[in-house]
Amino acid sequence: MSLAEFTSSLDTLLLAAEKSLGLVADDAGLEELRVLYTGAKNGQLKTIQKGMGVLSPVEKPAAGKKFNEVRDAVQAAIDSAAARIGSSATTGVTIGGTAAVSKKSGPQVDPTLPGLRPRLGRLHPITQTIEDLKEIMGRLGFSATEGPEIEDTWHNFVALNIPEDHPARDPLDNFYLATAGKNSSDPTALDAKLLRSQTSTVQIRAMETQQPPLRIISLGRVYRPDEADMTHFPMFHQMEGLWIDISVTMAQLKSVLRMFATSYLGGDVTIRFRPSFFPFTEPSVEVDYFWNDQWVEFGGAGMVDPNVLKAVGYDPEKVSGFAFGLGVERLCMRRYGITDIRDLFRSDVRFLRQF
Ligand code: PHE
């Protein structure tokens, strides 16, 4: 048999089927025709389908497509004949495995079978971490605020006591933007704009608009042109904390960070404070936790430098405070046992679905 013969036998069958189904007048007649054309064993469609076997492989796709079209058309003719004569034959619904209607043809629906479960999305592990951190810090009385990711040099550097010649302002260490203002990508220009390199900017913004006492956190993205490797990525998230009041001490800073670490990482976590330097805190510390046999730095902290308090119009003789900045990815990675930061941002759902 050739493809042409195969096709024309299907056309002939369809013509005959449409004609006879158009004339059928009762259930019994319809059932007879249904068996004649679509019967599973000796129906005419079945017989023609068997002939497909001898066609060459190049002809088969076209033949299969044609076959499906005709089969669907025959079924449609059966359905409309059934509707015309008010037959129940094609609407047989099987309930609980028992045929509610004995004659079956056409698509069967079993409403007791489980459906196809839609795949649910979920929050990214970093978003989950941010929610957890806000919740823990909320219990310690810190309320969350936000600041812009595109910053000016006043908030990212100057008000934070980072002078013009400080290496932290180097264009090679920052993403300056060549947009607004003539000299905006010149790091010394007053209107220079950059992607913020730290969330400490939000300390300044909060103090500029509110009077002490102040107890805030701010969570968000920061940007540094770092080469991506297992522990670095050019974009990451920080949680900034700031507490200003009439007599806030270093002991309170250590207690807050220790309580935070045990709440988030578990009661068995070991953390340590190392002396360090940041232009905007004095004294300053670096905070590490112990994981996988090594110390992992998770942030910096210290007592807010009097110059910073002066920059926002506070009186350093009257108020004091502490600030800290923690890396969100490192906390998230330790919590979920993730060892490569890049996995968090590859957007591979097979990875992200696990959290
Ligand atoms: N902003 C610092 C950093 O990104 C961290 C820090 C915040 C240190 C607040 C001290 C106080 O490294």
Side-chain angles (χ1 to χ4, degrees), residues 137 140 142 241-243 248-260 271 273 281-287 300-304 321-326:
M137 295 309 295
L140 295 174
F142 288 78
L242 177 72
W243 185 344
V248 178
T249 68
M250 188 94 186
Q252 282 161 321
L253 166 64
K254 292 181 74 177
S255 299
V256 164
L257 287 178
R258 201 175 285 283
M259 281 159 78
F260 163 77
I271 69 167
F273 299 86
T281 48
E282 181 61 34
S284 304
V285 291
E286 235 144 343
V287 199
M303 302 309 294
V304 178
F322 67 71
F324 59 82
L326 311 182

Side-chain angles (χ1 to χ4, degrees), residues 160 162 197-201 203 222 224 236 238-242 253 276-286 297-304 322-327:
L160 286 165
I162 301 175
S197 61
Q198 50 185 351
T199 46
S200 300
T201 52
Q203 288 180 37
V222 299
R224 295 176 195 177
F236 58 99
Q238 287 187 326
M239 173 167 75
E240 192 79 14
L242 177 72
L253 166 64
S276 186
F277 173 81
F278 296 101
F280 33 92
T281 48
E282 181 61 34
S284 304
V285 291
E286 235 144 343
E297 182 196 325
F298 74 102
M303 302 309 294
V304 178
F322 67 71
F324 59 82
L326 311 182

Side-chain angles (χ1 to χ4, degrees), residues 5 94 137 207 228:
E5 283 165 347
T94 315
M137 295 309 295
M207 290 189 284

